[in-house]
Amino acid sequence: MKTNIKFSILCLMAVSFSMFTSCGDDDDEKSDTTKPVIALDEPAEGDSLKIGAPIHFEMDLSDNEKLKSYKVDIHNNFDGHNHALKAATSTEAFTYNHSWDVSGLKNTHIHHHEIVIPENATPGKYHLMVYCTDEAGNETFIARNIVLSNDVEADHHED
Amino acid sequence: MRSGIIPVMLMFVFASSLWAQTADTVMTGTLDEVVVSGSYKKMEVLNTVQQVEVVEEPFLREHFTGNLTQTLGHIPGVHSMDIGAGFSKPMIRGMGFNRISVVQNGIKQEGQQWGADHGLEIDAFSVGRVTVRKGPSSLLYGSDAMGGTIEIERLPAPIDDQWLGEVNLLGKSVNNTLGASLMLGLKRKAWFTTLRYSEQHFGDYHIPTDTVVYLTQRLPIEKQSLKNTAGFERDANWDLDYRKGRYYGNLSVSDAYQKVGFFAGAHGIPDAEILHDDGDSRNIDLPYSWVNHLKVTSHHQYGFGRLFGYLDLGFQNNHREEWSYFHTHYGTQIPPEKDPNKELQFSLNTYSASLKVKRFCSNNWEYTVGLDLQYQKNTIDGYSFLLPEYDRFTSGVLWLSKWKASDKLSLSGGLRYDYGHLDISAFKDVYLEQYLTDQHYGADVLEDYEWRSYAVERDFGDVSGSIGCVWNPTKSQLVKVNVGRSFRLPGANELASNGMHHGTFRHEQGDASLSTEKGWQMDLSYTYVHKGICFIFSPFGSWFNNYIYLKPTGEWSILPHTGQIYRYSQAEVTFIGAEAEFSVDFLRYLNYKIAGEYVHSRNREEQLPLPFSPPASMRNTLTWKAKKFKVFAQWQAVMAQDEVSRNEETTPGHNLWNMGASANVPLFKTKVELTLSAQNLLNEKYYNHLSFYRKMEIPEPGRNFQLLIKVPFKSSIK
């Protein structure tokens, strides 16, 4: 009986060992899962941005391998009670969705004023989100609470 | 003569005992002297070529949490995917959702297994015994049982005529749960009936942190209490058995209702303002969900000589709603007049029928032929969209056989063919259409986005099968080998959906051309039981050539709150893993047990693991047991999960300390069972890789003390 036990255990160990080692081989070719990094300088969290003016947009993107694209998504975060519904107002909730190609780069500094808040944008709370992908499909994003307002100065930066 | 039969049998020989109820048929009782003491548990383990775990009293009581799935999470290889403290869905060896099946009274439970935030709707108090079948089971239960099954039963009828009953009381500190369950039953002659009513109420649950950091924003968790996670559950079950001569029949009616709030941050970007303490830890505010599962099943069996017939019929209605403020989704639009805040509604009706005939050809050979039919209809409502309306018809024919080659060896195998027809309706999202029109998008963009599902009609057919053996070379050893082929039909969401999933914030897109998921799976198991020592080792491996997964496409979606589009695609996938268990009795009253598990999955196309892979873990338990008392201390170590899919977060490992004690106290001619337990004694802040709230960086519940009181009573009838 003793030999029987030993034999069975040995068999199982051999089988399981071969199973584990056979799958261990492929760990080397594991694909890139490191997400790109977004360091968004402008707009900052809680910033009030002037309606009718371009947004000062500035950030650094980097990836361990190669970046692919980034997208900026701005949509309202109205709470639904304090703001008049669409039908009753002459302004329009601002929505923005645009993407830029940064493929092939490992890191890049982005600085532009391409995003323009239209004159008829409804003032209030908004979300600004920046998404970035790399060539492998890894994706990262960052969310900012911003306020669109008629009563602030447009952002004139120092440089 | 024997030599002629063997090759034929080897070809068809087959798997596992049919369903749990059949094990009580006398003719299977001729098994070896071995470790069989005649108990159901050991019988089932010996009868099944797959790795099975049977849990009943006292396991179910000692690990009771009021939530069956969490209780089963204590079984090696089984995990609980939690949505806060209320809803949970089970996972077996790294497969969850509709890759495993839950079966009660011989009928597959059909809720909404596919969704990330839906749980299992079964009254935990009503469960008497659970059999977990790890590995491919679509031979027995068809399409969805690909990764395993969980079979739930109540306790069998007592032999003597009597009135009986039970009162259960449950209290938990982590979310101030108060629960109670009352059961009354009558056994008289051929009849046995039980009626049970259970209720549980719980408040917001505590997490050991004051803030969570989500999307680079620090959010306050006031009073360390996770706002709006309170809820309640209300269940009723009625069972009627009739057993006379060679006939046995059962009628079972059950209804389970749950209503649970969602942490507001779980819907949209959390805003510090909505997370302020509202002074009430037991209210259920928006967003919340409620679900009702009504189930009527009936089982009949009759024996004619060496022939046994079994008939199961079932009807189920699963109705689930999610409520969330309309304006949090479409802030600038006018809400619908009726039920303005009803976000989602699903009503799934399932009709099931199964007929099986089992024939005992001799003392060592039996076979079964069977037919399974199921029809489902899903209807939807609400201002948002998650799953399309569909009709689904599936049917399967099966042939199972079992042959006892000798006292030490039995072989089982079987073949099954399933046919499935799925008819999915298209759905146009009028609110999204309005939203996109307001953004001045052109007709081509509208066409791509306003259809949240496309009309898809598909037919599928597939074969499953398995062959395996149970060998007990000596009294103390048991070896099992099983090879199986199983499959799963693609779900309606995988074939036809298009748009943002409200739980994952991903734009998910179906592919109408997906084929059935097919896989080969092999499992082994070795058990050694001798003089207080028990050792179990069960490795497994499986290979799928077309496993369905969500593949990032690199194309941006124009929908707000979403990044790139994820499309359901198919890839070669392998799983490999094992569970191991060792337990030893020592110093008369003590027992030490260590149990561990590991599963490794790999998507060969992406060279990455699959999402929601459970991390390796281990439990060390020291138990002191005397006649009426039992005390245990447990150290649970969960490894970090660094094996993640693309765009899935890694989760750090953690150590948890748990304790428990139970006592039987004689009181008024009955024995009151008291079970006191404490989980997460050190109030450790940790994350569960499988939790719905994981991606929001919300830690798991903190320290919990729990008391369960069970008072059984009975009175004989002359």
Side-chain angles (χ1 to χ4, degrees):
Chain A
M1 189 188 118
K2 272 268 155 65
T3 48
N4 224 332
I5 298 170
K6 279 181 187 160
F7 177 72
S8 316
I9 293 175
L10 225 81
C11 282
L12 277 164
M13 278 172 71
V15 170
S16 50
F17 181 74
S18 61
M19 281 168 137
F20 277 99
T21 47
S22 66
C23 84
D25 301 341
D26 51 35
D27 282 2
D28 304 335
E29 9 166 334
K30 190 171 167 179
S31 67
D32 166 39
T33 52
T34 310
K35 294 179 177 188
V37 177
I38 303 171
L40 182 62
D41 300 324
E42 288 290 338
E45 174 65 21
D47 269 5
S48 286
L49 306 176
K50 179 146 178 76
I51 289 172
I55 295 177
H56 170 205
F57 188 83
E58 197 167 354
M59 67 175 176
D60 284 288
L61 297 177
S62 58
D63 188 54
N64 64 325
E65 291 191 359
K66 281 175 180 170
L67 291 164
K68 184 176 180 200
S69 175
Y70 75 92
K71 162 178 140 161
V72 177
D73 164 23
I74 303 173
H75 53 263
N76 73 74
N77 180 28
F78 301 161
D79 58 16
H81 293 303
N82 306 331
H83 294 271
L85 295 167
K86 177 186 161 278
T89 154
S90 60
T91 61
E92 239 178 67
F94 177 47
T95 304
Y96 185 83
N97 194 306
H98 194 76
S99 60
W100 287 265
D101 182 30
V102 286
S103 56
L105 300 170
K106 200 167 174 180
N107 44 59
T108 177
H109 181 76
I110 309 284
H111 180 185
H112 61 66
H113 297 256
E114 290 174 36
I115 311 166
V116 181
I117 306 166
E119 297 283 355
N120 68 341
T122 310
K125 296 197 292 179
Y126 285 78
H127 283 143
L128 179 144
M129 302 181 79
V130 182
Y131 292 83
C132 181
T133 50
D134 68 9
E135 289 198 334
N138 298 307
E139 177 180 316
T140 188
F141 67 102
I142 186 164
R144 287 278 152 89
N145 287 293
I146 54 169
V147 177
L148 300 196
S149 164
N150 286 305
D151 311 325
V152 287
E153 288 292 302
D155 188 359
H156 298 295
H157 45 89
E158 296 84 37
D159 56 1
Chain B
M1 186 210 147
R2 212 176 216 197
S3 58
I5 291 175
I6 291 171
V8 183
M9 285 188 175
L10 282 174
M11 281 173 76
F12 294 111
V13 185
F14 99 46
S16 30
S17 82
L18 195 35
W19 38 163
Q21 293 97 314
T22 61
D24 59 354
T25 54
V26 237
M27 281 168 164
T28 53
T30 49
L31 275 151
D32 319 82
E33 69 281 15
V34 211
V35 272
V36 190
S37 67
S39 88
Y40 177 88
K41 180 173 172 167
K42 283 170 181 162
M43 191 73 131
E44 187 67 7
V45 168
L46 265 177
N47 264 327
T48 312
V49 290
Q50 279 173 297
Q51 180 59 17
V52 290
E53 299 263 359
V54 181
V55 292
E56 43 200 356
E57 278 286 316
F59 180 96
L60 291 172
R61 178 164 49 85
E62 283 162 13
H63 299 97
F64 193 86
T65 65
N67 175 327
L68 178 67
T69 311
Q70 287 176 0
T71 302
L72 299 179
H74 286 87
I75 299 173
V78 182
H79 292 90
S80 160
M81 304 177 82
D82 301 339
I83 309 108
F87 295 143
S88 300
K89 69 173 75 211
M91 182 180 242
I92 300 174
R93 289 180 167 174
M95 287 200 202
F97 304 100
N98 43 9
R99 289 191 173 96
I100 62 165
S101 287
V102 175
V103 178
Q104 195 175 23
N105 301 329
I107 298 284
K108 253 198 280 186
Q109 172 100 358
E110 294 287 352
Q112 279 128 16
Q113 303 96 318
W114 39 264
D117 48 359
H118 310 133
L120 173 65
E121 297 96 18
I122 280 180
D123 179 7
F125 288 106
S126 72
V127 176
R129 178 192 291 142
V130 181
T131 306
V132 177
R133 212 177 274 277
K134 301 175 190 170
S137 309
S138 58
L139 174 64
L140 296 177
Y141 296 109
S143 164
D144 295 352
M146 189 173 82
T149 56
I150 292 172
E151 295 156 5
I152 298 167
E153 288 164 87
R154 60 176 187 146
L155 283 176
I159 295 160
D160 304 325
D161 286 1
Q162 59 187 258
W163 282 98
L164 74 168
E166 186 184 289
V167 176
N168 289 274
L169 298 168
L170 173 73
K172 272 160 92 169
S173 68
V174 75
N175 58 359
N176 299 314
T177 299
L178 286 173
S181 179
L182 172 70
M183 187 272 279
L184 292 170
L186 172 66
K187 165 78 169 66
R188 193 169 167 84
K189 292 177 183 159
W191 297 92
F192 177 54
T193 184
T194 57
L195 185 66
R196 179 183 286 277
Y197 180 81
S198 313
E199 223 173 292
Q200 284 186 60
H201 290 256
F202 49 92
D204 297 342
Y205 71 89
H206 289 276
I207 53 175
T209 184
D210 295 308
T211 53
V212 293
V213 177
Y214 179 53
L215 303 180
T216 65
Q217 298 188 37
R218 188 173 289 272
L219 302 168
I221 302 296
E222 295 180 6
K223 296 182 182 167
Q224 301 203 337
S225 167
L226 200 61
K227 189 178 167 183
N228 202 40
T229 54
F232 71 93
E233 182 173 340
R234 193 171 280 159
D235 309 304
N237 304 278
W238 177 62
D239 267 275
L240 179 66
D241 282 14
Y242 179 81
R243 187 188 290 270
K244 187 146 201 186
R246 311 203 70 180
Y247 171 80
Y248 166 70
N250 165 268
L251 174 68
S252 174
V253 182
S254 66
D255 190 77
Y257 177 90
Q258 295 172 321
K259 181 177 173 182
V260 180
F262 283 122
F263 178 59
H267 283 229
I269 295 181
D271 193 329
E273 281 175 34
I274 55 169
L275 297 180
H276 284 308
D277 181 21
D278 54 12
D280 185 351
S281 67
R282 299 192 87 90
N283 61 335
I284 305 171
D285 214 337
L286 291 168
Y288 67 81
S289 84
W290 69 263
V291 59
N292 191 76
H293 195 98
L294 170 72
K295 188 159 67 172
V296 183
T297 60
S298 104
H299 172 78
H300 307 270
Q301 65 184 62
Y302 190 76
F304 319 81
R306 285 176 169 268
L307 211 59
F308 283 75
Y310 308 88
L311 174 70
D312 283 282
L313 299 168
F315 166 74
Q316 298 170 72
N317 171 262
N318 188 289
H319 185 104
R320 185 171 185 280
E321 293 186 8
E322 255 179 57
W323 288 67
S324 176
Y325 285 117
F326 180 81
H327 65 70
T328 57
H329 295 255
Y330 298 102
T332 58
Q333 289 185 30
I334 296 160
E337 275 181 17
K338 188 171 166 269
D339 298 333
N341 298 321
K342 182 157 81 183
E343 186 178 4
L344 296 165
Q345 176 189 308
F346 314 96
S347 185
L348 178 68
N349 284 322
T350 306
Y351 303 84
S352 323
S354 149
L355 178 68
K356 292 191 172 75
V357 177
K358 188 175 197 169
R359 184 174 148 80
F360 295 90
C361 300
S362 66
N363 281 340
N364 47 22
W365 185 31
E366 64 181 59
Y367 69 86
T368 305
V369 288
L371 172 71
D372 280 340
L373 299 169
Q374 193 195 60
Y375 173 74
Q376 284 186 314
K377 189 172 182 64
N378 186 49
T379 54
I380 60 171
D381 196 13
Y383 65 80
S384 191
F385 173 90
L386 185 60
L387 188 80
E389 295 198 323
Y390 65 84
D391 286 339
R392 183 184 192 249
F393 170 78
T394 52
S395 61
V397 283
L398 69 146
W399 195 91
L400 311 170
S401 181
K402 177 181 222 152
W403 178 52
K404 247 168 71 70
S406 74
D407 282 352
K408 294 188 159 125
L409 181 70
S410 72
L411 293 162
S412 302
L415 274 174
R416 177 180 175 118
Y417 181 79
D418 277 89
Y419 164 78
H421 177 83
L422 189 60
D423 186 1
I424 304 167
S425 308
F427 181 83
K428 189 193 219 173
D429 187 334
V430 290
Y431 298 102
L432 184 61
E433 182 187 24
Q434 181 64 47
Y435 176 86
L436 295 172
T437 309
D438 290 348
Q439 310 312 320
H440 315 293
Y441 281 110
D444 51 331
V445 175
L446 275 174
E447 187 63 26
D448 283 348
Y449 287 86
E450 70 188 3
W451 293 98
R452 300 296 305 274
S453 76
Y454 298 103
V456 176
E457 194 170 351
R458 291 282 306 271
D459 291 285
F460 299 95
D462 224 311
V463 178
S464 27
S466 92
I467 181 159
C469 73
V470 180
W471 177 44
N472 48 302
T474 66
K475 278 189 179 182
S476 51
Q477 293 184 92
L478 187 67
V479 177
K480 293 181 181 189
V481 182
N482 185 45
V483 180
R485 183 188 193 276
S486 54
F487 82 101
R488 179 179 73 92
L489 303 180
N493 55 332
E494 293 164 335
L495 289 167
S497 64
N498 175 39
M500 187 179 83
H501 186 287
H502 81 312
T504 60
F505 292 102
R506 281 179 173 178
H507 184 141
E508 300 181 353
Q509 217 166 55
D511 178 353
S513 66
L514 294 176
S515 56
T516 54
E517 218 168 60
K518 291 182 256 285
W520 286 94
Q521 304 175 57
M522 178 174 181
D523 30 71
L524 302 171
S525 121
Y526 172 80
T527 307
Y528 175 80
V529 185
H530 188 64
K531 286 185 182 162
I533 291 177
C534 173
F535 172 74
I536 305 172
F537 179 60
S538 34
F540 62 93
S542 53
W543 176 79
F544 295 85
N545 65 348
N546 51 6
Y547 199 86
I548 299 172
Y549 75 108
L550 269 176
K551 184 190 173 99
T553 59
E555 305 155 29
W556 293 116
S557 168
I558 62 155
L559 297 174
H561 267 237
T562 58
Q564 59 185 320
I565 294 171
Y566 285 75
R567 193 166 294 132
Y568 283 104
S569 310
Q570 294 185 296
E572 183 188 347
V573 163
T574 50
F575 284 84
I576 192 137
E579 292 103 40
E581 206 176 304
F582 173 76
S583 116
V584 57
D585 292 334
F586 63 104
L587 297 177
R588 201 162 160 207
Y589 299 113
L590 290 165
N591 172 275
Y592 167 73
K593 180 174 171 181
I594 176 169
E597 59 189 36
Y598 174 72
V599 56
H600 171 95
S601 64
R602 181 153 292 257
N603 178 331
R604 303 251 149 203
E605 197 170 300
E606 306 263 328
Q607 288 303 339
L608 283 174
L610 291 170
F612 295 116
S613 290
S617 68
M618 173 181 76
R619 284 175 203 263
N620 286 274
T621 315
L622 187 65
T623 309
W624 175 82
K625 195 175 167 184
K627 223 174 182 180
K628 289 176 184 165
F629 303 99
K630 193 169 175 179
V631 182
F632 76 89
Q634 186 181 70
W635 166 43
Q636 184 189 354
V638 178
M639 304 272 286
Q641 185 52 289
D642 299 321
E643 289 278 303
V644 291
S645 179
R646 196 178 301 292
N647 298 322
E648 187 186 27
E649 298 301 322
T650 59
T651 302
H654 59 267
N655 290 293
L656 292 181
W657 294 89
N658 307 318
M659 277 188 80
S662 58
N664 286 332
V665 186
L667 192 80
F668 304 117
K669 287 196 280 183
T670 180
K671 268 185 191 157
V672 177
E673 293 167 7
L674 297 171
T675 312
L676 183 70
S677 54
Q679 291 94 32
N680 192 5
L681 269 173
L682 302 181
N683 208 23
E684 168 103 356
K685 178 181 169 184
Y686 71 100
Y687 300 93
N688 176 355
H689 188 67
L690 306 176
S691 163
F692 178 68
Y693 288 139
R694 166 70 190 102
K695 64 179 187 298
M696 269 161 285
E697 302 281 336
I698 296 172
E700 291 300 294
R703 183 187 298 127
N704 179 39
F705 293 102
Q706 178 182 304
L707 177 65
L708 176 69
I709 303 171
K710 183 173 166 182
V711 188
F713 49 86
K714 64 178 181 185
S715 150
S716 314
I717 305 172
K718 304 272 146 32

